[in-house]
Amino acid sequence: MTAAVIEGERKFTLDDPRATSCALEQHGAYFLSHKSFHDVYYDCLPSLALSRKNLWLRTREFEEAEPFWELKAGVLSEPGCQCPSSGATSFLEMTAIPEILDMVSRTTGLPHTESEDPKDAFGLEPFASFRTDRVSYSFAHATLGEFRIDIDSADFGFVVGEIERLVDVPDQVAEAERSIMVVAAELGLCLGQDDTPPGKMETYLWRVRPDDYRTLEQAGALTGRCS
């Protein structure tokens, strides 16, 4: 069983993934991995009971590996706001099935069966599916600690970068998000306060399931940056 972790993250724009990789290495980041994986997201349809609550449940399958379940549950750094004005977002990430079932049930009020498959336990259906090619780097800041940088290229023609930092408890989220901004600036990443790019899932919904996109935007679960 893998313990749940809290991840603070901030998306950034990039025109040339290779040039961004070179710039990261010049600033002292070191290469971690180059991987490809397939994500399938699940929800109650048509209600979107999970994603309305900022719960993003998916299976992730790496090449030549068995798929596994993962839940990302939004953690608020700004009270009453699911999508902070800073553009940074934080998620509690978990892969242990009992934790996933408990979190979904407590947050949505949905009952679940005894099945250990979340899809069957809640009667969920797939509503998004795409592949990602990811290049990952690590950067050790002298005073702020370890950060991870991912450069993602999705199979629907979308490229985005992400810088993230792991924390232990929700009280550390706001500071993690501030430190991400500091380190991103030092690395020369294109952030900006008002032009934070959307993530892969938000962009996918905007392009492929526009009605669901509008529903989730109105619910506050999406930033509306694609609109």
Side-chain angles (χ1 to χ4, degrees):
M1 180 179 296
T2 303
V5 298
I6 299 175
E7 175 188 279
E9 59 188 41
R10 180 67 147 75
K11 304 292 190 297
F12 62 89
T13 57
L14 64 159
D15 296 322
D16 185 339
R18 183 169 296 181
T20 301
S21 292
C22 291
L24 287 170
E25 292 175 2
Q26 290 172 0
H27 281 88
Y30 66 89
F31 174 80
L32 287 177
S33 62
H34 183 182
K35 298 180 179 180
S36 296
F37 52 88
H38 179 211
D39 288 337
V40 180
Y41 285 79
Y42 293 84
D43 209 331
C44 296
L45 300 180
S47 68
L48 300 172
L50 276 68
S51 46
R52 280 176 178 268
K53 296 290 188 179
N54 210 8
L55 297 178
W56 304 94
L57 179 63
R58 68 191 178 203
T59 56
R60 172 162 290 182
E61 182 179 5
F62 289 94
E63 292 183 342
E64 301 180 357
E66 291 295 320
F68 62 92
W69 286 98
E70 183 176 40
L71 178 68
K72 297 185 67 171
V75 177
L76 304 184
S77 62
E78 297 179 11
C81 179
Q82 293 195 54
C83 301
S85 58
S86 68
T89 53
S90 294
F91 291 93
L92 176 65
E93 298 189 355
M94 57 189 70
T95 56
I97 298 299
E99 291 183 357
I100 290 175
L101 297 178
D102 180 66
M103 174 65 77
V104 171
S105 186
R106 285 191 294 108
T107 305
T108 65
L110 293 172
H112 63 81
T113 68
E114 295 301 316
S115 173
E116 293 188 356
D117 184 315
K119 172 173 58 67
D120 296 333
F122 292 104
L124 308 179
E125 299 177 61
F127 78 118
S129 175
F130 50 84
R131 296 183 182 276
T132 300
D133 188 71
R134 169 173 289 178
V135 180
S136 299
Y137 290 85
S138 179
F139 179 73
H141 190 275
T143 59
L144 297 176
E146 293 282 339
F147 295 80
R148 179 183 173 115
I149 303 99
D150 293 327
I151 299 173
D152 287 352
S153 300
D155 64 358
F156 54 90
F158 181 68
V159 178
V160 69
E162 179 179 284
I163 177 170
E164 64 185 45
R165 182 183 178 190
L166 299 181
V167 298
D168 297 321
V169 294
D171 288 348
Q172 298 172 338
V173 165
E175 178 55 35
E177 293 177 354
R178 285 190 289 269
S179 68
I180 285 172
M181 300 295 287
V182 171
V183 171
E186 292 185 12
L187 292 174
L189 302 178
C190 183
L191 296 184
Q193 287 292 337
D194 301 320
D195 59 353
T196 306
K200 298 191 302 291
M201 184 58 173
E202 182 166 357
T203 303
Y204 178 93
L205 292 174
W206 179 59
R207 295 182 181 182
V208 180
R209 302 180 68 100
D211 290 342
D212 289 342
Y213 178 89
R214 286 189 289 271
T215 296
L216 294 174
E217 181 184 4
Q218 292 170 359
L222 295 177
T223 63
R225 297 182 191 275
C226 291
S227 301

